[in-house]
Amino acid sequence: KTGQRLDPNQELIGQGLANMIGAMGQSYPASGSFSRSAVNLQAGAATGLSSVFTSLMVVVVLLFFTPLLYHLPQSVLAAVIMMAVIGLINVSGFIHAWKAQWYDGAISVLSFVCTLAFAPHLDKGIMVGVVLSLGVFLYKSMRPTVSTLSRCEDTALRNAMTHGLAECRYIGMIRFEGPLFFASASYLEDQINDRLQERPDLRHLVIVANGINDMDASGEESLSLVIDTVRAKGLDISFSGINDTVMDVIKRTHLYEKIGVENIYPTMEEAICAVHENAHDRSEETACPLTDVCHLPAA
């Protein structure tokens, strides 16, 4: 709310130490209060000393003014808290989250509704948000974006489907965006097999690996199977943009020798230059979508 950077670990350590020391003197358990923090903020508090002054005022009120406040209706106290907390509801935050990713906005709204529904058990509403977020994370990890690249107007290689670009008949530039591990390894195999079936004229497959930031044993085995499958169909396969982390795994598992140093390129452009002529030998393609901008015909 104020832009101040908070350290949750420090907060938890502070509360834990307070309870440990307080237990020696039979004190009440200490904890953070969202509503009290909201009231504090609305009152103009700027530092942690506000809690000290608040505590002193509570002691004074308990000692000298309790009879005056004894008959104060709880609805009055509830109104004070509600007026303070309602100012913390950031509607624009929900809208911004929805615009960024619709599922982020949906999770935030569902978490908010569940928190209200489960009140006063706010932890249940928070757990709903945590579970939904983990579910989205796992789904995206299991099914990362796999795209076929073509040349766009800005001369960059971009997702052909997203930008309405034609795909090269003889070279498939496949970009995998995400870690290649046990949860996503089979998905890569499925995507490669689908493209091989859909494009019978393919002669060379280039795996654009700059989006693969990590790879485990299952991912390495999957990559090895992809190489075997592609070569069994009589196609060539190359890799471009392999980062150091993935390259270390490839070398340790001897997949490097299976791929062949001559089939590994530092960039996509170098890969295209190296394989383009051979893949287009006696081709019927007048303009290659990997070197020229070729849009799909209008429907």
Side-chain angles (χ1 to χ4, degrees):
K1 184 72 174 181
T2 61
Q4 180 183 1
R5 182 176 177 82
L6 301 177
D7 185 357
N9 293 330
Q10 184 179 3
E11 296 286 332
L12 293 175
I13 291 172
Q15 290 186 25
L17 290 175
N19 284 320
M20 290 173 62
I21 297 173
M24 300 177 184
Q26 298 182 350
S27 69
Y28 284 106
S31 64
S33 172
F34 181 76
S35 57
R36 191 170 70 83
S37 298
V39 173
N40 223 17
L41 182 64
Q42 292 286 345
T47 68
L49 287 175
S50 61
S51 297
V52 177
F53 292 115
T54 302
S55 301
L56 293 175
M57 290 300 299
V58 169
V59 172
V60 171
V61 170
L62 288 175
L63 291 176
F64 304 106
F65 299 101
T66 299
L68 298 177
L69 301 176
Y70 181 78
H71 297 288
L72 189 68
Q74 290 188 356
S75 57
V76 175
L77 299 177
V80 172
I81 295 175
M82 289 180 64
M83 290 302 297
V85 173
I86 199 170
L88 298 179
I89 299 177
N90 186 7
V91 178
S92 62
F94 294 113
I95 299 174
H96 179 76
W98 186 278
K99 289 180 178 179
Q101 294 287 1
W102 68 267
Y103 47 80
D104 285 338
I107 290 174
S108 62
V109 172
L110 287 173
S111 300
F112 177 73
V113 172
C114 290
T115 301
L116 294 179
F118 288 124
H121 303 289
L122 304 183
D123 56 311
K124 294 183 179 179
I126 295 173
M127 286 303 299
V128 169
V130 171
V131 171
L132 290 175
S133 297
L134 286 175
V136 171
F137 172 76
L138 290 174
Y139 179 80
K140 289 176 68 65
S141 298
M142 294 172 62
R143 300 176 66 86
T145 302
V146 180
S147 55
T148 302
L149 305 181
S150 292
R151 187 73 60 182
C152 198
E153 284 87 350
D154 59 359
T155 71
L157 291 167
R158 301 191 181 278
N159 190 327
M161 181 178 295
T162 302
H163 295 272
L165 302 171
E167 299 176 10
C168 179
R169 289 178 58 184
Y170 306 107
I171 302 175
M173 297 284 292
I174 311 298
R175 181 170 62 195
F176 186 88
E177 302 177 15
L180 185 57
F181 67 123
F182 68 93
S184 61
S186 61
Y187 185 67
L188 173 63
E189 295 180 46
D190 294 339
Q191 291 294 309
I192 296 296
N193 288 328
D194 289 344
R195 282 164 171 77
L196 293 178
Q197 293 177 2
E198 294 169 358
R199 301 169 63 183
D201 294 332
L202 274 180
R203 299 177 181 176
H204 201 116
L205 196 68
V206 179
I207 305 296
V208 180
N210 51 12
I212 304 176
N213 51 29
D214 195 13
M215 184 168 65
D216 65 0
S218 298
E220 186 274 336
E221 291 179 3
S222 176
L223 210 55
S224 180
L225 288 174
V226 167
I227 295 172
D228 292 336
T229 301
V230 172
R231 288 176 176 170
K233 293 181 178 295
L235 280 68
D236 295 322
I237 184 169
S238 301
F239 293 81
S240 72
I242 302 176
N243 65 30
D244 293 338
T245 302
V246 176
M247 183 63 77
D248 290 341
V249 176
I250 289 175
K251 288 182 177 180
R252 287 197 301 267
T253 56
H254 303 290
L255 184 61
Y256 187 81
E257 289 79 6
K258 185 174 185 177
I259 297 173
V261 64
E262 69 279 2
N263 295 318
I264 298 177
Y265 303 95
T267 65
M268 295 182 289
E269 300 295 344
E270 291 189 35
I272 293 173
C273 291
V275 307
H276 190 273
E277 183 177 355
N278 186 50
H280 284 78
D281 183 36
R282 295 190 298 274
S283 72
E284 300 176 0
E285 200 171 50
T286 56
C288 177
L290 292 176
T291 57
D292 303 304
V293 180
C294 301
H295 286 278
L296 291 171

